[in-house]
Amino acid sequence: AMGGWDEDWEAAVADFKLFQESNPTKVRDKIRQGIPPTVRRLLWPQMTHASKLKIHFQNNVYQKLVEMPSSNTKKIEIDLGRSLPDQSLFNQQDGIGQNSLRNVMTAYSNYDKDVGYCQGMGFLFAVLLLQLSEEDSFYVFIQLMNHNGLGGIYQPGLEGLYLMFNEFAFQLEYCEPELSKHLKKECVDVQTFSSNWFLTLFVNQLPLEVVLNIWDIYFYEGIHIIFRVALAVLSILKSSLMEKSFEDILLTLKQIPTEKVENLKLK
C-alpha cells in the first residue's frame, strides 16, 4: 500500500465523519498508531472541520488577509527565522517556506485582531505547513484556536494557559505523587517548564515524528491528550529527575533527551 494507505484510510479520507461514526474505537486506535504522512495531508483539514470552514469563506478571502497590512509585522518577521530552522523548508531566508509562514501568520493576525500574532505561533504554523497547503494551514489553525482548546492559551491575559497549569499540576500530583512532591521540594513550578510544551504543542521539545503523531491524536481526541503526553514525558524521565535539583531539572525538561522519547506512544 502506498505510504501506509489501506481501505480504512481510503474510507476516512472519502468521508471522515461517516468513517468515524461507523467505528469510533477502530478510528481512535488507528489514529493513535499514527496517520501516514500522505493521508495526514487530507485528513487534518477534515478532522478539524477546517474543510467546512474553507467553504464558508468567500473566494480570495485568504489572499486578501495576506495582502492587508498587519500591525504584527515586526513580531512576525522576528519569528520567521526561528520557526523550525532545521527543516529544509524553512532554513532559507525569504525561501518558499519562510514566505508561506509570513503569509499565514499575517493572514491570521488580520483575521483575529484580538490575538494577532503571539510568539510561539510560528512553530504551530511551521508544523502545519510541513503537512498542508498554505491556505489549508490557515483554516486548520483557525479551528485549532476556536475548537481545540488552544484559543484560550493565546488570549490576551493568558487565562487559558493558567487553567492548563492548574489542571496539569493536579493531574501530576494524582498520577506521579512522588515526582510532584520532589518538584515542589526543589521549587520547580509546572509552569516554568510546561508553558513551552503547551504553547507549541511540544514542537521543539519532542522529535518531529512524535509531535506529528501527538497532533493526529489531539485533533481527534482534544486537549486532554496534551496533559497525557506531558505526564508520559515526566514518567519516562522520572528516575533521572528524582536525583536532580532545581537547575538540572529545568535543563532536562528544556532539552528532553531525544533517545528517551523517540518511541513515545499513547496507548
Side-chain angles (χ1 to χ4, degrees), residues 156-175:
L158 301 178
E159 207 175 306
L161 191 57
Y162 285 100
L163 289 174
M164 282 186 78
F165 294 147
N166 293 340
E167 174 64 22
F168 180 45
F170 175 77
Q171 289 193 22
L172 179 62
E173 200 169 346
Y174 181 79
C175 300

Side-chain angles (χ1 to χ4, degrees), residues 174-237:
Y174 181 79
C175 300
E176 294 286 359
E178 267 186 311
L179 182 57
S180 172
K181 200 170 160 185
H182 179 65
L183 293 178
K184 280 181 186 155
K185 190 181 114 236
E186 291 300 327
C187 304
V188 175
D189 193 305
V190 294
Q191 69 187 50
T192 356
F193 61 87
S194 67
S195 69
N196 252 351
W197 296 2
F198 298 156
L199 284 168
T200 65
L201 298 181
F202 300 100
V203 182
N204 275 1
Q205 276 79 37
L206 297 175
L208 188 62
E209 281 311 303
V210 175
V211 169
L212 292 172
N213 185 211
I214 291 168
W215 286 32
D216 292 337
I217 305 168
Y218 172 58
F219 287 149
Y220 188 60
E221 299 184 41
I223 196 96
H224 75 96
I225 280 300
I226 301 306
F227 298 120
R228 288 193 49 190
V229 174
L231 290 168
V233 168
L234 289 177
S235 299
I236 290 169
L237 299 174

Side-chain angles (χ1 to χ4, degrees), residues 53 57 108 111 137-147:
L53 185 70
F57 273 63
Y108 187 79
Y111 166 78
S137 299
F138 171 69
Y139 291 114
V140 169
F141 191 82
I142 290 178
Q143 293 298 76
L144 258 182
M145 288 292 158
N146 289 344
H147 302 293

